[in-house]
Amino acid sequence: MKMSEELLVSVEDGVMTMTMNRPQAKNAMNKSMAEAISAAIDSFEADNDIRVAILTGNGGTFCSGMDLKGFLAGETPTVKGRGFGGITQYSPSKPLIAAAEGYALAGGFELVLACDLVVATETTKFGIPEVKRSLVAGAGGVFRLPQQIPPRIAMEMALTGDHYTAQRMLEVGLINEVLPTGQALEGAKKLAARIACNGPLATAATKKIMQEYKTWPHDEIWQRQQAIMDPVFTSKDAREGATAFAEKRAPVWKGE
């Protein structure tokens, strides 16, 4: 499956892989690639057989940020309602994993922050260097980062604009795994497989609760969680999960 020349899309074993394909520009984000990612996310959401998606980059790098040549020409690499790269303002109901090689900088780093899980390599570099160009990391970087790592470390990263290693990002809890160079996508696919075998309704409900609970009033947390959980517990998949366990076989999920 190919959504465009600038985004290669494939589906295998319930996992969609979206590969940013502008290696000559270190996968710098332009308008057409952002629109292609947004369209791929629509396909991901609409297909019940696809359980997890991976976002990665071709040519040994993830994404170096906004295409500055396009920016100077008046182009904005955003999609209405979806944000930078087609995903920074929209989180799909199903899990999204970043497989980051090389550079994940500026807007590229903000794509990482918009994903649910992150697999990187020993040579991946992360950072929001916008302040070095008198810009602001406005695609979620300056408010998502302190939600995902200790605030003082986030402040340091945002105000210095420096690059940081994958090992440092692992230490502060931003990423899930650090692998040898060239193995980020393979590692992300293994992680995706561990998720894709689980009940899709339960997976989506779990993600929703984990994303939203911090905004819930304290005295409504249990009630709001219950409202999300109830349809899962009364679903056909819940009965299938219990039946498969009793019959000592793998469950067959229908998403119903």
Side-chain angles (χ1 to χ4, degrees), residues 72-220:
L72 292 173
E75 179 182 280
T76 55
T78 62
V79 176
K80 186 176 180 179
R82 298 290 179 89
F84 177 86
I87 63 168
T88 58
Q89 293 179 26
Y90 176 81
S91 181
S93 61
K94 295 179 277 190
L96 178 61
I97 303 173
E101 298 271 357
Y103 294 112
L105 301 174
F109 186 49
E110 290 170 307
L111 296 178
V112 167
L113 296 176
C115 293
D116 301 303
L117 300 161
V118 187
V119 177
T121 74
E122 295 166 341
T123 51
T124 309
K125 293 291 189 294
F126 298 92
I128 40 177
E130 279 85 347
V131 290
K132 293 181 181 292
R133 299 289 178 264
S134 194
L135 300 172
V136 177
V142 292
F143 64 81
R144 272 206 178 110
L145 191 56
Q147 294 174 358
Q148 298 183 20
I149 67 173
R152 294 207 194 290
I153 305 301
M155 186 72 77
E156 175 192 324
M157 292 182 68
L159 297 184
T160 65
D162 290 343
H163 296 180
Y164 291 79
T165 66
Q167 184 58 43
R168 179 57 174 154
M169 294 299 92
L170 182 68
E171 290 170 359
V172 299
L174 186 75
I175 63 179
N176 297 85
E177 189 174 15
V178 178
L179 297 170
T181 300
Q183 294 185 21
L185 180 55
E186 178 184 350
K189 286 183 175 180
K190 289 180 179 178
L191 178 57
R194 291 163 52 198
I195 297 168
C197 64
N198 296 326
L201 297 178
T203 300
T206 297
K207 173 178 171 175
K208 183 177 178 65
I209 292 167
M210 293 187 75
Q211 283 187 319
E212 296 182 2
Y213 82 94
K214 288 184 179 180
T215 66
W216 295 344
H218 180 73
D219 59 353
E220 295 181 14

